Amino acid sequence: MSEFTQETVQLRCLYTGESWQHAQRALGRLPSGAVPLPSAQAPDQERLEARVLLGLLEFRNVYTRFPLGITAVHPERTRITLRVESEERAAEILFNLLPTYTPGSEVYGVPGLRIVRRSQTGIELRVIGAPARLRLTGLPSTVWRSAESRMLDKWLDGVQHCWRSSPCAWTEAEREHQASWDDENHHFVRVQRRGAWLGSGLLRRIALLHAVANTFLLDGYRGAAFDVARLVLRCSQVPDRGPGPHHIISALLDPVFGLPLELTRFRGDTDESHASKQDFTLRDMGKTVLLELHTARERPPSSLPSDVWQAILRRLPSEGFPNTQAVSVFAGLRVDSGT
């Protein structure tokens, strides 16, 4: 731990949402010379994490204190742990990830993914025959059981729950579905596999999206692009309160904790006190990924419960990323005023 300063511990907490003690212990377990926020070691782990991120981004109409319902992430080289905020979010995550099949259709969820271990505060999921692992924690075991039941109630009759009907082996439908995603002769498959590091890297830094900026809602999608894996994030920012979204960009570009990206395009007003919308585009030097961050200063929707909104306001950070790029840097990349 002697090689890591207090500033390093503090920065890791911003990216992961871990407590100081947890981040300090995690750094102390790293081998000498390791980076303070490790990447996924295996390609299967990287692809699973990219898929988990896409699943988290799909539920914009669910309102919780944290924009994706994830309060913290604990990244390790061989697995990742997500601390889930509520039963509702837990049910959504399981609904989106655990594989199901309807005859005549494709497999929904992650083929081969199964619940392999339970504890008093969480569950562990693993892809059968692969090292990819995901641990979900933060809720009592009874709540996880309730979340499973809640998730099952969302499915219509006639759906095969692969993870229940075949807990120790892949079903035939899963094998057939996965075969198409293992075909590296397919251009789309090659592009997405090459760019999976972006989704994995963002998931391992998921807390920064709310820890350094005034984000209260977040969603996104995998966009269409021919030669790169394109990911679009859409952030709703609390107006006139807390640090603005340019702090997220600064955090993503940090040379130690960030990702190997460069800001290539900006659209909007550089004065965030007046800017209603700001759009940022980032790429990697190897031209494997394209990340678009679309932000808007918005009032909360009428469907957002007032108690949740007050909890969100109390949760907003008072300070942004400590090593912030000057907003004037964006002016040189601006292509449109956005007004």
Side-chain angles (χ1 to χ4, degrees):
M1 179 57 209
S2 58
E3 64 183 288
F4 295 112
T5 65
Q6 288 192 350
E7 181 185 11
T8 301
V9 180
Q10 183 178 7
L11 282 173
R12 174 162 168 142
C13 292
L14 285 179
Y15 283 82
T16 65
E18 297 166 303
S19 67
W20 178 279
Q21 293 78 8
H22 199 159
Q24 191 176 52
R25 286 197 300 269
L27 288 169
R29 288 193 293 267
L30 293 175
S32 177
V35 295
L37 208 164
S39 300
Q41 180 180 17
D44 284 337
Q45 181 70 33
E46 191 176 72
R47 290 194 287 269
L48 173 62
E49 292 175 15
R51 174 63 179 81
V52 170
L53 179 70
L54 285 176
L56 292 174
L57 292 171
E58 289 187 1
F59 298 99
R60 188 173 177 84
N61 295 322
V62 176
Y63 307 119
T64 47
R65 185 167 171 247
F66 293 83
L68 293 178
I70 302 300
T71 64
V73 56
H74 179 57
E76 301 173 80
R77 297 178 71 226
T78 58
R79 72 172 182 180
I80 191 169
T81 300
L82 303 179
R83 191 187 304 154
V84 183
E85 180 181 359
S86 67
E87 178 183 334
E88 185 176 22
R89 289 287 191 177
E92 288 170 353
I93 293 172
L94 297 178
F95 180 84
N96 195 279
L97 295 181
L98 289 174
T100 58
Y101 173 68
T102 303
S105 182
E106 293 186 345
V107 171
Y108 182 83
V110 179
L113 190 67
R114 303 291 190 269
I115 298 174
V116 296
R117 186 175 293 113
R118 300 177 187 273
S119 69
Q120 292 184 344
T121 59
I123 58 176
E124 183 172 310
L125 300 95
R126 179 178 291 187
V127 176
I128 297 174
R133 292 189 294 169
L134 167 68
R135 187 167 180 263
L136 302 173
T137 188
L139 303 169
S141 58
T142 54
V143 175
W144 283 108
R145 291 286 189 184
S146 179
E148 288 179 47
S149 298
R150 188 170 182 168
M151 174 268 291
L152 289 169
D153 289 341
K154 294 184 178 184
W155 289 107
L156 300 175
D157 293 338
V159 174
Q160 177 190 359
H161 301 284
C162 306
W163 57 283
R164 301 184 80 196
S165 61
S166 183
C168 299
W170 288 53
T171 64
E172 184 62 30
E174 289 175 292
R175 285 195 293 270
E176 291 180 0
H177 179 91
Q178 189 62 29
S180 63
W181 286 97
D182 287 336
D183 183 8
E184 296 207 12
N185 292 321
H186 196 291
H187 179 75
F188 181 78
V189 171
R190 290 199 307 272
V191 167
Q192 294 304 316
R193 286 195 167 194
R194 193 168 63 239
W197 66 266
L198 175 62
S200 172
L202 284 172
L203 186 67
R204 289 170 170 254
R205 294 160 175 80
I206 201 67
L208 74 85
L209 296 173
H210 64 255
V212 302
N214 55 351
T215 307
F216 72 93
L217 288 181
L218 178 67
D219 73 351
Y221 56 92
R222 181 170 57 189
F226 183 72
D227 286 321
V228 298
R230 176 172 172 249
L231 183 63
V232 180
L233 302 182
R234 301 183 297 190
C235 299
S236 294
Q237 315 296 144
V238 178
D240 307 318
R241 192 161 182 170
H246 73 276
H247 288 271
I248 296 174
I249 300 302
S250 294
L252 287 174
L253 299 180
D254 183 80
V256 176
F257 279 91
L259 293 170
L261 298 168
E262 57 180 356
L263 183 64
T264 60
R265 188 177 183 187
F266 170 73
R267 178 175 180 172
D269 195 325
T270 55
D271 185 350
E272 290 188 337
S273 63
H274 295 94
S276 60
K277 293 184 179 180
Q278 292 180 312
D279 297 338
F280 307 85
T281 301
L282 303 97
R283 296 176 182 269
D284 67 313
M285 293 293 291
K287 297 182 179 180
T288 63
V289 299
L290 177 68
L291 174 63
E292 297 178 22
L293 180 68
H294 302 317
T295 71
R297 294 167 67 239
E298 299 176 320
R299 297 293 176 184
S302 58
S303 53
L304 197 156
S306 60
D307 60 329
V308 176
W309 178 242
Q310 291 303 314
I312 289 171
L313 293 179
R314 290 192 296 270
R315 189 262 307 152
L316 291 180
S318 58
E319 298 180 354
F321 191 68
N323 304 318
T324 313
Q325 284 197 0
V327 182
S328 59
V329 173
F330 303 145
L333 299 168
R334 186 168 54 189
V335 297
D336 193 290
S337 66
T339 58

